[in-house]
Every structure is written in C-alpha cells, then in structure tokens.
C-alpha cells in the first residue's frame, strides 16, 4: 500500500525552514538558532524520533485494547545520537507504562514496543528511490487519511499473537 504524499517546500524564511503539508494542519520543520535556523519547528531528526515514539505509543495502546490489558498511561521518550567513528545512528527509546497489569503483561507490552512498524522500518532500513517530477504536487487540504500505518500496527499485533 502506498501512502498519500507528504509535500515539503522551503518557505523562503531563514536558511532551513520548510513547510510540511501532510494529513491535518501543515507545520514547519527547521533547525535550531545556533545552526542558522529560526527554531520554528522540530528538526528532521526530531521528526524521526517522534515518529518512533508516536508509533510505539499507538501500537502499545492498540495491543492493550485488543488483549484487554488495563494500560492506563504510556509515555515514550526517544533520543537520537550518531556515533562519530562509525556514522551509525542509535535511537534510544524509554517507555513509561502504567496500569493494573501483571509481570507477564508488562513483558508482552515491552516486546510489543519492539514490533511497532516505524521501529521495524528504522531497524531494517528502507530503500529510497529518487526521481525528478515533471511538475509540483498540489497541496490538498483535508486530504484522505493515510491507511498505511494503522494496517501495519494491526499486522504487528497479529504477528505478536501468532
């Protein structure tokens, strides 16, 4: 399944600021002031970290609802670093989970976190195919919801139960 396109264009403000048009409102992505940006939005690596954290929280919530695990709160903290010697990136994910569940359920939730679709994509790597487009993509307000991620979360939950 192919997702709806996310459109990214420079705003002409600052050295790095771009506007991202995706599902819902558009938003800025930028770099910090110290790097010459306007600090008007998250950095690209902030977005990768937030995608991992959001997918983890959503997947845990879905799994808990499907399994009747009384998960009452989830917080995912993600940090990113790159090893200067190897160039390898590491995303460190810290989970806070709360609820009236036993140790076996806690371990299931921890295992489920490692099955979130974005985490699996980052861990496996992805192919990136680049080509020139004959014209710009139109920014479509109120575009249809991308169904790629919800289906991937359901599949991860199903695979966990298999």
């Amino acid at each position: 399944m192919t997702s709806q396109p996310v459109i990214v264009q420079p705003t002409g403000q600052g050295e790095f600021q771009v506007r991202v048009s995706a599902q819902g409102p558009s938003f800025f992505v930028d770099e910090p002031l110290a790097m010459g940006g306007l600090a008007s939005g998250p950095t690209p690596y902030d977005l990768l970290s937030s995608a991992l954290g959001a997918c983890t929280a959503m997947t845990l919530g879905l799994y808990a609802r499907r399994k009747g695990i009384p998960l009452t709160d989830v917080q995912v903290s993600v940090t990113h670093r790159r090893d200067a010697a190897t160039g390898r990136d590491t995303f460190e994910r810290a989970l806070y989970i709360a609820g009236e569940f036993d140790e076996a359920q806690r371990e299931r939730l921890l295992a489920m976190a490692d099955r979130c679709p974005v985490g699996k994509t980052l861990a496996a790597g992805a192919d990136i195919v680049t080509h020139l487009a004959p014209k710009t993509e139109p920014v479509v307000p109120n575009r249809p919801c991308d169904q790629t991620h919800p289906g991937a979360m359901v599949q991860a939950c199903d695979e966990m139960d298999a």
Side-chain angles (χ1 to χ4, degrees):
M1 172 184 259
T2 300
S3 68
Q4 296 290 321
V6 171
I7 309 298
V8 180
Q9 290 181 297
T11 64
Q13 304 298 309
E15 291 184 44
F16 299 106
Q17 186 187 72
V18 295
R19 178 180 304 279
V20 176
S21 298
Q23 178 184 325
S26 64
F27 58 94
F28 295 125
V29 176
D30 205 350
E31 292 291 343
L33 292 171
M35 300 298 298
L38 301 174
S40 60
T43 69
Y45 279 106
D46 289 340
L47 291 176
L48 275 175
S49 295
S50 64
L52 176 59
C55 182
T56 302
M58 291 175 177
T59 302
L60 288 179
L62 175 64
Y63 186 74
R65 287 189 300 278
R66 288 177 66 163
K67 292 299 176 185
I69 298 173
L71 181 65
T72 58
D73 194 15
V74 175
Q75 184 184 68
V76 184
S77 171
V78 180
T79 57
H80 168 258
R81 69 179 177 276
R82 176 172 290 153
D83 184 284
T86 66
R88 181 139 176 92
D89 292 283
T90 299
F91 291 88
E92 185 171 336
R93 176 174 47 192
L95 301 178
Y96 168 81
I97 54 175
E100 296 291 324
F101 39 79
D102 60 32
E103 189 59 33
Q105 290 170 320
R106 181 183 311 279
E107 290 301 316
R108 276 313 258 180
L109 290 170
L110 183 60
M112 193 67 229
D114 286 332
R115 293 177 174 264
C116 90
V118 171
K120 287 170 66 175
T121 298
L122 287 172
D127 297 326
I128 300 172
V129 178
T130 305
H131 63 272
L132 291 174
K135 59 184 175 64
T136 60
E137 290 272 350
V139 174
V140 179
N142 302 315
R143 70 187 180 124
C145 177
D146 177 13
Q147 294 297 315
T148 305
H149 185 250
M153 287 191 303
V154 168
Q155 181 179 355
C157 289
D158 290 343
E159 289 170 356
M160 180 74 166
D161 299 335

